[in-house]
Amino acid sequence: MPSNRQITKHKIVSIASTWLFAVLFLSCRNNDIEKIRSFSHPPGAPEVVAENIEVLFSDSAVVRNILNAPSLKIYQDEEEPYTEFPEGFSVQQFNSDEQITSSIEASYGKHYEKKQLWELRQNVVAVTESNDTLKTDLLFWDEEKDLIYSDQFVKFIQKEQIITGIGFESDLQMKRWHIKNVKGTVTVEVEE
């Protein structure tokens, strides 16, 4: 039979456990969700981080675009949510015969979700279906207007000429393009 001392010790442990549980329960009820989030997600840190990603975009079960990137960071808590590609990315576009029709790559990229705007920086190279190539260090793609543009130095390489200048604007396929301030044109002789 347990002694009075053991019974008292058991009651104290039981009362202390009940009190501790009640304090924890009540303190959890009063927690602000923002306070909890600040412990698990510091301000300015991305909500999602991924490495070595490959994203396939399809239409009617046919792959139309493939995006590859060494890393991706998604920032949803910002005033203007965005996805960042800090180590760059590349996108290839395919036709229904699964042949590459165009491609674009950059050493850095950012996609602003609300604005539907892509910002590509450093070593931007875009190649069209007809093998025309645009090179620049800054290019924007406005998804809503289906427009690509830059206010920086560009080099536009075609089969028979190379045009350099400041500022560029074009449709996404680069069929209707315009260099705003042409700095030079070099005609290339093509041997058949």
Side-chain angles (χ1 to χ4, degrees):
M1 179 164 179
S3 69
N4 283 344
R5 189 175 201 189
Q6 288 175 330
I7 292 173
T8 304
K9 185 178 178 184
H10 179 71
K11 284 182 181 178
I12 291 172
V13 169
S14 180
I15 291 170
S17 297
T18 304
W19 181 80
L20 182 61
F21 178 76
V23 167
L24 287 173
F25 178 75
L26 290 174
S27 67
C28 288
R29 282 186 22 191
N30 293 329
N31 275 342
D32 180 8
I33 194 70
E34 293 304 318
K35 286 182 182 177
I36 295 170
R37 185 176 288 154
S38 72
F39 289 120
S40 63
H41 177 93
E47 284 75 28
V48 176
V49 176
E51 292 183 351
N52 300 318
I53 65 161
E54 181 174 75
V55 180
L56 294 111
F57 301 91
S58 62
D59 180 22
S60 304
V62 176
V63 174
R64 296 295 183 187
N65 296 290
I66 297 177
L67 180 143
N68 288 288
S71 65
L72 163 124
K73 295 178 180 181
I74 299 175
Y75 296 84
Q76 289 293 330
D77 287 345
E78 303 297 316
E79 188 174 313
E80 175 65 51
Y82 64 91
T83 301
E84 181 182 40
F85 301 89
E87 298 175 61
F89 70 96
S90 67
V91 177
Q92 295 177 321
Q93 186 174 35
F94 297 87
N95 62 18
S96 57
D97 297 327
E98 298 180 12
Q99 296 175 339
I100 297 173
T101 57
S102 63
S103 66
I104 193 161
E105 61 184 52
S107 295
Y108 175 86
K110 210 177 211 183
H111 178 251
Y112 298 94
E113 195 174 301
K114 289 180 185 175
K115 293 180 190 174
Q116 295 184 349
L117 181 70
W118 285 83
E119 177 184 336
L120 292 75
R121 291 188 175 272
Q122 304 162 352
N123 306 311
V124 181
V125 178
V127 181
T128 68
E129 188 171 10
S130 59
N131 229 18
D132 292 342
T133 303
L134 175 70
K135 294 184 177 185
T136 186
D137 275 333
L138 177 65
L139 188 68
F140 292 97
W141 169 32
D142 186 323
E143 292 177 86
E144 191 174 316
K145 295 179 181 174
D146 205 23
L147 179 73
I148 58 174
Y149 59 92
S150 177
D151 62 357
Q152 301 292 308
F153 178 82
V154 296
K155 181 189 279 188
F156 194 63
I157 305 164
Q158 295 181 299
K159 185 177 180 181
E160 297 167 353
Q161 66 181 353
I162 299 170
I163 306 168
T164 60
I166 307 295
F168 179 84
E169 191 172 291
S170 174
D171 63 321
L172 190 58
Q173 294 75 31
M174 289 198 294
K175 291 186 178 180
R176 291 180 310 278
W177 55 270
H178 172 71
I179 295 177
K180 295 180 180 180
N181 186 2
V182 176
K183 294 294 183 186
T185 303
V186 176
T187 303
V188 180
E189 274 189 42
V190 180
E191 292 182 22
E192 297 290 327

